Amino acid sequence: MKFSIGGALKLAFRPWVEGLEYIPAEGPAILASNHLSFSDSFFLPAVLDRKVTFIAKAEYFTSPGVKGKLTAAFFKGVGQLPVDRSGARGAGEAAIRSGMDVIERGELFGIYPEGTRSPDGRLYRGKPGGLARVALATGAPVIPVAMIDTEKIQPPGKVVPKLMSPGIRIGKPLDFSRYHGMDHDRFILRSVTDEVMYEIMKLSGQEYVDIYATAAKRQIADAEKAAREAAKEAERAAKEDGGSERGGDR
């Protein structure tokens, strides 16, 4: 199923790719990518000859009905791995364990260090948990990846995707074996994560923002809420002023 989906994506969107030579023909590696769109987890595997396993919400695999079964089959077909995210800490540990299992099988593990999609196309601070811990515990090389323009294919609110050619730029593998066994040192985890994010930034050309994307999303949501409330207040004030003027004419 992976090959049929990948072939259809390549035929329809014709993604371009640079740096394929950095993907090992065999053996484990961690693909650390920026995250612009829901489709990132489909386009990257589509251009590779090897299977890439990403983490996905368990709900994608357990939804009821025909639609739920089709969704589960689709995610399994493109190499998504279900992880229960019902508890924040437990979800993180489950994702790390799942990543280690993939690496121990000698396969490719895909991860988004930002933890969530970028809300505005910029690159946000990487979370120091999953990526660095899997890399340091397993010794697997980390290959930085930059997705280009995938957020333009299906912006929020758009049902029909735009047919265009997104890009995928793959960088040289990063070796963190010098930190092997130090996967519980938070300063080392931060350093490793920041080094990977710097390489992703160079590949993607994105503006870097030194806060977490989750915090940025909260800021954006708060700003939008404040704007809506201000608009309602302005509308209410305008109605009151209009009523006062009409009352004064009588």
Side-chain angles (χ1 to χ4, degrees):
M1 185 174 179
K2 184 267 186 189
F3 293 104
S4 62
I5 293 173
L9 284 174
K10 287 194 287 186
L11 183 63
F13 294 94
R14 300 185 182 280
W16 56 266
V17 58
E18 298 175 357
L20 276 176
E21 66 272 17
Y22 297 127
I23 302 295
E26 58 183 21
I30 301 167
L31 305 185
S33 173
N34 60 338
H35 199 11
L36 298 172
S37 167
F38 175 78
S39 63
D40 293 336
S41 299
F42 308 140
F43 280 111
L44 180 55
V47 303
L48 302 180
D49 293 331
R50 298 182 60 187
K51 175 185 175 182
V52 184
T53 299
F54 285 88
I55 297 298
K57 293 187 294 185
E59 299 89 273
Y60 288 143
F61 298 82
T62 58
S63 298
V66 175
K67 182 180 178 181
K69 291 181 179 179
L70 290 174
T71 300
F74 178 79
F75 276 89
K76 290 177 183 177
V78 297
Q80 300 276 342
L81 189 68
V83 170
D84 184 359
R85 299 184 179 184
S86 56
R89 184 172 179 81
E93 292 298 324
I96 291 167
R97 184 64 255 172
S98 297
M100 290 180 182
D101 290 343
V102 172
I103 293 300
E104 288 169 2
R105 294 197 300 266
E107 299 173 1
L108 300 178
F109 175 59
I111 189 169
Y112 301 111
E114 291 168 280
T116 186
R117 281 175 279 174
S118 169
D120 54 14
R122 296 186 294 176
L123 183 68
Y124 284 85
R125 194 181 197 203
K127 294 191 173 182
L131 165 66
R133 283 187 60 187
V134 173
L136 300 189
T138 64
V142 178
I143 301 175
V145 177
M147 307 301 295
I148 312 292
D149 291 336
T150 53
E151 81 281 10
K152 298 176 182 178
I153 292 176
Q154 194 172 13
K158 297 292 183 180
V159 177
V160 180
K162 178 181 179 182
L163 290 179
M164 57 175 291
S165 297
I168 301 165
R169 192 171 287 129
I170 302 168
K172 296 180 180 179
L174 303 173
D175 179 12
F176 295 108
S177 59
R178 62 192 183 277
Y179 299 131
H180 184 65
M182 303 175 71
D183 49 300
H184 291 289
D185 186 318
R186 63 189 181 94
F187 296 106
I188 296 297
L189 295 178
R190 180 77 265 162
S191 177
V192 168
T193 305
D194 288 345
E195 184 174 339
V196 174
M197 297 309 295
Y198 179 72
E199 294 300 322
I200 294 175
M201 180 187 70
K202 290 197 298 183
L203 290 169
S204 68
Q206 292 170 279
E207 177 186 349
Y208 179 75
V209 185
D210 195 24
I211 62 172
Y212 294 124
T214 49
K217 287 183 176 181
R218 286 195 297 269
Q219 291 177 1
I220 292 172
D222 290 344
E224 290 176 346
K225 180 180 178 181
R228 288 193 300 269
E229 292 176 348
K232 289 180 181 179
E233 179 63 24
E235 183 180 358
R236 185 188 63 78
K239 288 180 179 179
E240 290 181 353
D241 289 343
S244 299
E245 291 177 1
R246 287 192 297 272
D249 290 339
R250 286 198 295 269

